[in-house]
Amino acid sequence: MPDTEVAGLKAVGQVDENHAAGWVGPGVSDAAAAHSGHRCRLMERTYAGAGIPVGIAPFEGQHTTPAATRQPGTRQPERPLISVTTSAATPSWLADAILYQVYVQSFADSNGDGIGDLEGVVEHLDYLAWLGVTTIWLSPCFVSPFRDAGYDIADYFTIAPRYGSNDDLASLIDQARRRGIRVLLDLVPGHTSDQHPWFTRSAADPADHRYIWSADAVPDGFVPSPGTRPGGYLPNFFAFQPALNYGYGRPDPSQPWRQSPDEEGPRANRAALREIMDHWLGAGVAGFRVDMAASLVKDDPGHAETSALWGEMRAWLDREHPSAVIISEWGEPATSVAAGFHGDFFLQFGGPTDGLPLRSLWNNRQGTDQEQWAPVAPYFDAAGRGTARTFCDAYAAAAGIAGGAGQIILPTANHDFARLRCGTRGAAQLPAALAFLLTWPAVPALYYGEEIGMRFVPGFADIEGSVLGPQYNRAGSRTPMQWEPGPGAGFSSAPPGRFYLPLDPDPHRPDVATQRADEHSLLHLVRDLIQLRKRNAELGTGPAASLDVLHDGYPLSYLRGGRFLVVVNPSGRTERAAHSRADLATARAVLGSGVSVSADAVIAAPFAYSIFALPQ
Ligand code: TEU
Ligand code: CA
């Protein structure tokens, strides 16, 4: 009953085609007007989550291909390509989180030394609360020689002076809590800096097994000892990041450094991890993002021993810190959640296809790219040559296996991977991508600056270990946050030459202040999408939030909770998808424009997106 519906809706802003054109760039508004069968309004309304039937998903966590289940010549009710429902077993705050990654050195500099710091984060908490962020993850901010931008820790218990003090973190946690925002720290369990006292001690004492040492020769893959100890050590990432010893999954008498996870060194390291977590949880953090979580036990078929280790940590957390969460940088939720993580990211690496599902969405090879990555046309690309099938299948499989025991976390970018706005993927293409991110049933992870469309900036030299390969410079994703127009972009009062990294030199670079003053901006769209998600359980991750993918070519269309129809078109062409759901024609647009829905098809203008509510 659409008319009754509208009576129950309170408009908080109107999104007409011109309004939306501000988001999607010139040229789109005409197409949008031509194809939109609806006047688009942004509505504010809480749809009662309880009591809404979740009937159309045929079975939990699995997917069907209609062609395979249809009898030739008979007309059957159309089944979605993919159907997923989950039941939340993780804390509801994580299931409902809007996660935001703060790269501290690049976010906001409070004291004019050119490097972002914790006080700078505090100064922008009101902004994050306004945006709707519920949880921030701080990349490592501990004492470090910064040869890998802080992922080379020399003291797990002390905030690096360039970021402030332990007291500054305490005040950040407190100030965040007052605004309903939780703080996650980055836990780096797999390695330390070669400057960590554990390591310098170990390099002087052949009886110390906190790291993995050969006896005298330096086998392949090992790094020569820098100390009086003979032999070499196993690195975990860069050579200056010695792997902490958690043992091996398989013994090999010819490699005596392969200890069992039960030996003293591995046990001491597991105890140290608990001590570190205990320390910061005691200081009020909500949990940790866990770096390279899959890497701990070496030569570990099926990650069996590494999983056992995390299972042990989870059991300890459940006893000692039951409200704490650990989310993994693993890239294979089916495995990591089974191991005990409360959530895991889809990543550019990890899992059976080494990150292909995430890369199949975003990686246009113009930002961070590895030669060994098989070419794949990204789905979010104006050329419109990709498919969402790779990602949707992997998502459905992961959601089915994780079975609601943990959250799947979906980023567009991070400090290791190119931003959404990258190369030929310009500003016009961002709204559809962010509409997808924020209406998908994974926990959305925003990397700082994605909400204003900051760009991957090519061409830097190596900065603090940013370069991983000839076409892989992570610095492009780490430039200072753009808060305001003007020379320092509101990031820092230091002379630009002292900035951690140069600002994006583009004279038209986006900034928060300008976009905040413009309700047609990408920033406002992201905020509106977050609000829509928070106010409607069907758009979240819980039991009312089923996913039914109707079309995974161009445009992508899916139903959420049987209540919302989402259509996004990453392609630069008008795209049409036929369907046999006559009832969709009665859906009313609540956000977005440029998409029309009839009884037998959806038609989407170039780069258009729209979210529709079905009458109930
Ligand atoms: O990243 C681990 C990691 O494997 C990625 O850097 C990956 O190799 C890269 O993205 C190419 O796909 C984590 C941190 O996120 C990263 O910043 C650190 O440099 C690394 O661990 C070592 O701690
Ligand atoms: Ca500073």
Side-chain angles (χ1 to χ4, degrees):
M1 297 262 293
D3 291 343
T4 336
E5 280 276 310
V6 169
L9 293 168
K10 179 180 142 222
V12 292
Q14 296 204 341
V15 186
D16 60 24
E17 285 75 18
N18 293 331
H19 176 158
W23 289 332
V24 297
V28 175
S29 58
D30 292 343
H35 292 290
S36 175
H38 299 267
R39 176 156 181 89
C40 305
R41 286 162 185 272
L42 168 61
M43 303 299 185
E44 177 184 36
R45 166 174 171 171
T46 305
Y47 294 95
I52 289 174
V54 191
I56 63 173
F59 36 77
E60 289 206 353
Q62 297 185 36
H63 61 275
T64 54
T65 304
T69 53
R70 275 186 196 153
Q71 304 285 320
T74 58
R75 184 170 170 85
Q76 306 217 339
E78 187 170 32
R79 290 237 195 129
L81 295 173
I82 288 167
S83 288
V84 178
T85 51
T86 57
S87 57
T90 44
S92 61
W93 69 261
L94 180 63
D96 296 338
I98 306 293
L99 183 62
Y100 188 98
Q101 181 185 357
V102 174
Y103 200 60
V104 182
Q105 53 266 61
S106 304
F107 196 61
D109 170 25
S110 71
N111 63 350
D113 65 357
I115 301 179
D117 46 53
L118 297 179
E119 181 54 31
V121 181
V122 172
E123 287 170 6
H124 292 286
L125 286 171
D126 282 338
Y127 163 73
L128 295 173
W130 172 84
L131 183 58
V133 168
T134 66
T135 306
I136 57 176
W137 146 37
L138 307 178
S139 284
C141 42
F142 313 105
V143 168
S144 165
F146 293 108
R147 294 180 68 192
D148 185 16
Y151 281 94
D152 47 337
I153 294 175
D155 176 356
Y156 286 95
F157 297 97
T158 309
I159 295 296
R162 79 182 198 183
Y163 297 137
S165 64
N166 287 24
D167 285 346
D168 291 330
L169 181 69
S171 107
L172 165 55
I173 293 165
D174 180 52
Q175 291 296 322
R177 186 192 287 120
R178 289 164 195 259
R179 292 163 177 82
I181 296 174
R182 290 179 168 81
V183 178
L184 302 179
L185 293 180
D186 212 311
L187 178 70
V188 184
H191 49 271
T192 65
S193 157
D194 60 4
Q195 305 302 303
H196 195 293
W198 295 343
F199 183 73
T200 46
R201 260 200 307 273
S202 193
D205 176 6
D208 185 299
H209 294 293
R210 296 292 294 276
Y211 298 84
I212 300 168
W213 289 94
S214 63
D216 35 46
V218 182
D220 260 7
F222 281 56
V223 180
S225 171
T228 54
R229 182 177 187 155
Y233 65 87
L234 186 73
N236 208 35
F237 195 74
F238 288 123
F240 52 79
Q241 289 163 316
L244 284 159
N245 178 19
Y246 296 95
Y248 277 73
R250 294 193 274 217
D252 178 345
S254 74
Q255 300 186 350
W257 57 82
R258 289 178 173 242
Q259 295 194 328
S260 132
D262 296 328
E263 290 190 54
E264 191 190 327
R267 279 194 281 118
N269 283 331
R270 295 202 298 277
L273 279 190
R274 289 191 289 269
E275 215 186 312
I276 295 162
M277 287 194 276
D278 196 54
H279 176 83
W280 293 115
L281 290 168
V285 306
F288 303 91
R289 174 269 190 186
V290 179
D291 187 69
M292 291 182 67
S295 75
L296 301 200
V297 179
K298 305 304 182 193
D299 189 16
D300 184 21
H303 290 109
E305 292 293 339
T306 302
S307 294
L309 183 157
W310 289 115
E312 178 190 305
M313 292 298 157
R314 172 66 184 268
W316 171 79
L317 279 175
D318 285 350
R319 276 197 313 277
E320 302 292 326
H321 298 281
S323 56
V325 303
I326 44 176
I327 60 179
S328 49
E329 188 205 29
W330 189 310
E332 192 175 5
T335 307
S336 53
V337 166
F341 282 97
H342 297 85
D344 186 20
F345 293 85
F346 264 77
L347 292 168
Q348 69 277 16
F349 64 91
T353 56
D354 192 28
L356 183 67
L358 189 85
R359 285 185 279 112
S360 75
L361 293 178
W362 314 130
N363 184 34
N364 67 9
R365 316 205 77 155
Q366 299 172 67
T368 49
D369 196 42
Q370 282 179 5
E371 281 147 27
Q372 70 266 30
W373 285 344
V376 53
Y379 182 67
F380 282 88
D381 191 87
R385 281 198 290 264
T387 170
R389 174 70 61 98
T390 311
F391 173 78
C392 289
D393 280 350
Y395 178 82
I401 297 167
Q407 301 302 320
I408 296 171
I409 308 169
L410 181 63
T412 54
N414 61 42
H415 64 295
D416 292 332
F417 188 62
R419 290 183 180 278
L420 206 46
R421 185 166 171 198
C422 177
T424 51
R425 187 167 52 224
Q429 300 180 50
L430 307 182
L434 289 162
F436 160 73
L437 180 82
L438 290 162
T439 57
W440 193 257
V443 172
L446 282 167
Y447 180 54
Y448 81 97
E450 291 289 275
E451 72 274 26
I452 54 169
M454 275 175 61
R455 175 172 82 107
F456 176 89
V457 185
F460 290 118
D462 180 87
I463 288 132
E464 295 192 344
S466 61
V467 171
L468 295 183
Q471 254 211 270
Y472 211 110
N473 189 349
R474 303 177 288 176
S477 290
R478 300 175 176 182
T479 57
M481 179 71 171
Q482 297 151 199
W483 294 104
E484 298 165 4
F491 165 70
S492 169
S493 59
R498 291 185 58 206
F499 279 25
Y500 176 73
L501 267 167
L503 284 159
D504 177 359
D506 181 352
H508 304 296
R509 66 180 176 232
D511 68 84
V512 171
T514 303
Q515 292 200 14
R516 217 172 146 163
D518 171 10
E519 64 169 22
H520 306 168
S521 63
L522 183 69
L523 178 61
H524 273 271
L525 170 61
V526 170
R527 182 170 184 257
D528 292 344
L529 285 163
I530 289 173
Q531 281 187 16
L532 192 69
R533 183 182 177 101
K534 283 182 169 176
R535 289 174 179 165
N536 295 282
E538 297 91 338
L539 290 171
T541 59
S546 59
L547 167 72
D548 297 298
V549 176
L550 303 180
H551 190 251
D552 58 16
Y554 293 92
L556 173 63
S557 64
Y558 47 97
L559 284 168
R560 298 300 320 281
R563 183 71 194 262
F564 289 98
L565 170 69
V566 181
V567 181
V568 299
N569 179 21
S571 136
R573 298 178 304 254
T574 295
E575 303 282 0
R576 179 180 191 278
H579 61 74
S580 53
R581 288 275 311 252
D583 59 315
L584 297 184
T586 59
R588 302 179 68 84
V590 291
L591 186 55
S593 70
V595 178
S596 65
V597 185
S598 64
D600 61 358
V602 295
I603 297 174
F607 308 137
Y609 65 91
S610 209
I611 299 156
F612 300 87
L614 273 67
Q616 296 290 298

